[in-house]
Amino acid sequence: MTTETPLEAELHRLAGSVPDPELPVLTLDELGVLRGVQADGPDKVTVRLTPTYTGCPAIESMSADIERVLHEHGVTEVSVVTVLAPAWSTDDISDEGRRKLAEFGIAPPRPGGGSGGPVPLTLSVRCPHCGSTDTELLSRFSSTACKALRRCVACREPFDHFKEL
């Protein structure tokens, strides 16, 4: 495994600070889609980005936003490469990202959902508003394909649940 140079670490920090276009409460780094940044020469950078799912329409916006941020910081040539393997999983969301999702009113995915091993059987999703586990599924799909729409039986508030992938 190659370690980042100080320049690459700074460029990674800048690219990683870009907000996700569909969930602007999260940065690309917190979402776990930024796979790496490589300085290829003076003023030339390659950024590796993995979509949350193949065909995710937000990947174009993410790429353009990364290019804009790096151009604003003096990098003249930015190449954003889509990397499909290893596939992104909800396990790639950072602890800070999970905290921000809940604070924003979206139930974060349960850990271990994308481990490839046995799937833990959890029959409830915690309401991000009141904390109750007495929730019900309203729709398997919500504002994006990555989320389901649920409602809390206790407080009656609807909320998105970021599905485990």
Side-chain angles (χ1 to χ4, degrees):
M1 182 172 172
T2 308
T3 57
E4 288 182 322
T5 66
L7 173 62
E8 288 169 335
E10 176 62 13
L11 295 170
H12 189 122
R13 185 191 66 72
L14 289 168
S17 70
V18 169
D20 177 75
E22 293 179 338
L23 291 166
V25 68
L26 296 182
T27 66
L28 298 183
D29 204 35
E30 292 164 341
L31 186 56
V33 297
L34 184 63
R35 298 298 189 184
V37 176
Q38 179 179 333
D40 299 319
D43 299 323
K44 185 177 179 184
V45 173
T46 300
V47 178
R48 293 184 320 281
L49 193 63
T50 298
T52 55
Y53 65 95
T54 304
C56 175
I59 198 78
E60 290 177 24
S61 180
M62 291 177 194
S63 297
D65 290 346
I66 288 171
E67 288 177 17
R68 180 186 46 76
V69 165
L70 294 180
H71 286 309
E72 287 173 358
H73 285 85
V75 180
T76 54
E77 190 176 338
V78 179
S79 174
V80 179
V81 178
T82 301
V83 178
L84 300 178
W88 178 87
S89 124
T90 51
D91 288 342
D92 295 328
I93 299 174
S94 70
D95 290 340
E96 177 67 5
R98 290 171 191 278
R99 185 195 65 73
K100 284 183 176 181
L101 283 172
E103 189 176 273
F104 190 65
I106 299 173
R110 295 167 285 229
S115 65
V119 176
L121 182 59
T122 305
L123 300 177
S124 62
V125 173
R126 187 170 302 280
C127 172
H129 303 293
C130 74
S132 172
T133 56
D134 190 6
T135 63
E136 59 189 359
L137 180 66
L138 297 178
S139 175
R140 289 181 43 220
F141 298 99
S142 184
S143 57
T144 65
C146 301
K147 295 180 281 189
L149 181 61
R150 300 189 69 90
R151 177 175 49 217
C152 179
V153 174
C155 72
R156 305 301 297 162
E157 288 293 323
F159 64 92
D160 282 335
H161 169 228
F162 204 114
K163 297 183 284 190
E164 292 79 17
L165 298 173

